Amino acid sequence: DTEVTQTPKHLVMGMTNKKSLKCEQHMGHRAMYWYKQKAKKPPELMFVYSYEKLSINESVPSRFSPECPNSSLLNLHLHALQPEDSALYLCASSQDGPSGARGYTFGSGTRLTVV
Amino acid sequence: GQQVMQIPQYQHVQEGEDFTTYCNSSTTLSNIQWYKQRPGGHPVFLIQLVKSGEVKKQKRLTFQFGEAKKNSSLHITATQTTDVGTYFCAGNFGNEKLTFGTGTRLTIIP
């Protein structure tokens, strides 16, 4: 299995809703990431998990809450989001971090719309 | 902050023409990676460059890393319609982060 699987593919939520994005990989990668990508912009790093521990939080608002239940799973819990949070949320994994020769493997993303 | 800029932002080429995108950092990079994102898709890893002055080739794609490890380029020879997409460089500044460049969107005129 050489894929990163993200669910759901699309999500529409109200500003008072609570929802979760899920990400799964079975490649044995030790690092997992959440990126946010707005239209026609590059992916922006949100969180880095290394060996299931949060190692980087890029000053992301607390309405985004990451969780890494085990080495294969990564969740992003969403609460009280704003319309400007609408974006493509990408999960990625890597064996060797940003210095690895095999790069990051990205999932196909969750397209989030906040209404 | 640590930023990675790319030029041009957009490039429209006739099918069969060559294409080049340039990536620049204000500070030295540990390594640089290149990704391709098709319209409606997700980034797909192409290659990593680590050494000063390194040149790598993948079929019609040639990647270079500058001597000072602050810039990089991707050159595509004889573009095809399958080359359509946005090409991102992504730099590592020696920490746990991979910072994506601003990207170059390539469109092909058949």
Side-chain angles (χ1 to χ4, degrees), chain B residues 27-78:
Chain B
T27 56
T28 302
L29 297 164
S30 294
N31 61 72
I32 195 159
Q33 299 179 4
W34 284 90
Y35 290 80
K36 177 184 178 181
Q37 186 171 18
R38 293 181 183 274
H42 57 277
V44 174
F45 174 72
L46 296 176
I47 209 159
Q48 175 175 264
L49 304 170
V50 179
K51 300 176 183 176
S52 169
E54 188 170 14
V55 178
K56 287 188 176 180
K57 293 189 176 184
Q58 287 181 349
K59 298 183 180 178
R60 295 179 294 106
L61 277 60
T62 302
F63 304 84
Q64 295 190 26
F65 202 9
E67 293 291 339
K69 298 183 71 173
K70 290 184 178 181
N71 56 71
S72 181
S73 65
L74 159 59
H75 180 82
I76 302 178
T77 304

Side-chain angles (χ1 to χ4, degrees), chain B residues 2-18:
Chain B
Q2 293 168 332
Q3 291 184 324
V4 182
M5 304 300 294
Q6 275 182 261
I7 55 170
Q9 188 175 0
Y10 301 97
Q11 185 81 58
H12 312 283
V13 301
Q14 201 82 30
E15 187 176 6
E17 291 183 340
D18 293 355

Side-chain angles (χ1 to χ4, degrees), chain A residues 35 37 42 58 98-100 104 107, chain B residues 33 35 37 42 48 97-98 101:
Chain A
Y35 278 83
Q37 186 176 29
E58 287 288 90
S99 60
Y104 288 11
Chain B
Q33 299 179 4
Y35 290 80
Q37 186 171 18
H42 57 277
Q48 175 175 264
K97 304 178 188 181
L98 193 65

Side-chain angles (χ1 to χ4, degrees), chain A residues 92-108:
Chain A
S93 70
S94 71
Q95 177 58 39
D96 303 308
S99 60
R102 288 167 285 186
Y104 288 11
T105 302
F106 281 85
S108 56

Side-chain angles (χ1 to χ4, degrees), chain A residues 60-71:
Chain A
V60 178
S62 59
R63 57 186 183 268
F64 296 91
S65 175
E67 177 197 19
C68 189
N70 59 56
S71 60

